Amino acid sequence: GIKDFTSVPSTMIDDHQLLFSSYDQLYILDVLQNRIQKLEQNHVIKGLNFVQIERLKNGKIIASCLENRLLEIKLSKNTYTCTPYSQLNGEFKLSYYFKSDQEGNLYISIGQASIIVLEPTNNEGHRYSYELPIKGGINSLMEDKTGKGIYLTNTLGLFHIRHDTKEVTPIVDKENILAQTIYAAIADTAGNFWLSSNKGILKYNPKAKSVKVYSRMDGVQADEFNSNAYLQTADGHIFIGGINGLNYY
């Protein structure tokens, strides 16, 4: 009985249930029962517009909102409750996007000015750790396969951050093609980076520091892609979504 609505943020809460939002309302899609359940609000925070929803490694469900809030979503049968997450609310102007790494650290963009990092605590929460001088927000996070750091993408390009020194290095190619909005970064088995942008899909070779651009002429769905629309499967296939559909490799 639920139809004709727009949904953007979502996250899997187990192997067959998807939690998703439509503006200020939350729903659960059960793919086994082929059923959508509308959840009732059980909190005093009203009129939230969810932008991103993620289930963290500690099992908690975290959401960001247009109201510059970072919230924890607690589910109970057919209801949900939203409460402020971490001590940062009210202290920083949070932006809409955040990412987490394999160690459970949270990377949150503070407007377009910088990125703060929250480290996991013993009580399965997070606390402030340090701030990265990276402008341009955060669109995606990719682990460095050497284990020495991570890669971040945003409106200014691709960056590498070392775990030990916290050193930030912009990744630059020979023709400066990477200096643009990059929505997603995924590494293939050969070590190449597949990057989605507003000018097609970019295949970056870190060793040669070269970039090959794939556009509509190469079968790409469109030159413009979207945030949080990327996936790498267990067998290595890469899926990237844009304004006219999906491409996979």
Side-chain angles (χ1 to χ4, degrees), residues 14 46 66 73 93 109 131 133 155 174 179 203 206 213 215 219:
D14 56 31
K46 302 296 183 180
L66 289 176
I73 299 175
K93 182 177 176 59
S109 57
E131 188 170 2
T155 59
K174 296 177 180 179
K203 180 183 179 183
V213 180
S215 64

Side-chain angles (χ1 to χ4, degrees), residues 6-247:
T6 298
S7 174
V8 179
S10 63
T11 189
M12 294 297 297
I13 55 178
D14 56 31
D15 61 353
H16 66 280
Q17 293 188 103
L18 177 77
L19 175 69
F20 67 94
S21 74
S22 179
Y23 302 105
D24 63 345
Q25 182 60 55
L26 291 180
Y27 303 83
I28 290 181
L29 167 64
D30 190 316
V31 296
L32 294 182
Q33 299 183 15
N34 194 26
R35 180 173 67 94
I36 294 177
Q37 177 186 6
K38 180 180 179 180
L39 300 178
E40 299 298 327
Q41 299 181 16
N42 188 25
H43 54 81
V44 297
I45 306 176
K46 302 296 183 180
L48 296 174
N49 291 281
F50 296 103
V51 176
Q52 184 180 353
I53 303 175
E54 298 289 344
R55 185 176 186 271
L56 304 181
K57 292 183 178 296
N58 61 14
K60 293 187 176 184
I61 301 173
I62 305 300
S64 60
C65 307
L66 289 176
E67 294 76 18
N68 288 321
R69 293 174 180 265
L70 189 65
L71 302 172
E72 179 180 358
I73 299 175
K74 297 180 180 180
L75 304 177
S76 178
K77 293 185 179 179
N78 63 338
T79 66
Y80 71 96
T81 302
C82 290
T83 57
Y85 186 73
S86 84
Q87 76 278 20
L88 296 177
N89 286 289
E91 297 183 25
F92 294 94
K93 182 177 176 59
L94 300 177
S95 75
Y96 308 144
Y97 297 113
F98 60 92
K99 301 296 173 185
S100 61
D101 63 17
Q102 292 181 350
E103 303 301 321
N105 297 300
L106 276 179
Y107 298 76
I108 307 172
S109 57
I110 305 301
Q112 296 288 312
S114 65
I115 294 174
I116 60 170
V117 182
L118 307 185
E119 63 181 1
T121 60
N122 293 332
N123 63 355
E124 296 187 341
H126 283 85
R127 64 187 175 194
Y128 176 85
S129 181
Y130 58 93
E131 188 170 2
L132 293 168
I134 300 177
K135 295 182 179 181
I138 179 171
N139 289 336
S140 70
L141 181 150
M142 180 178 69
E143 300 285 341
D144 183 343
K145 292 188 175 181
T146 65
K148 295 181 179 180
I150 60 168
Y151 292 92
L152 293 178
T153 70
N154 63 17
T155 59
L156 299 180
L158 175 68
F159 300 84
H160 181 265
I161 299 97
R162 288 183 60 95
H163 285 318
D164 52 0
T165 63
K166 311 298 186 294
E167 179 184 2
V168 177
T169 303
I171 306 301
V172 181
D173 62 287
K174 296 177 180 179
E175 299 178 353
N176 206 32
I177 299 175
L178 297 180
Q180 61 172 300
T181 295
I182 297 178
Y183 293 111
I186 301 177
D188 62 21
T189 55
N192 299 303
F193 295 179
W194 293 83
L195 314 169
S196 60
S197 72
N198 287 327
K199 297 180 180 179
I201 291 178
L202 317 176
K203 180 183 179 183
Y204 173 62
N205 184 321
K207 294 182 178 180
K209 294 185 177 181
S210 61
V211 177
K212 177 175 176 57
V213 180
Y214 293 88
S215 64
R216 285 186 177 183
M217 297 181 63
D218 302 295
V220 173
Q221 51 85 38
D223 290 337
E224 182 179 344
F225 286 80
N226 287 330
S227 300
N228 296 316
Y230 59 97
L231 171 71
Q232 187 170 33
T233 61
D235 59 2
H237 285 90
I238 297 172
F239 292 80
I240 303 177
I243 60 172
N244 287 332
L246 194 68
N247 285 97

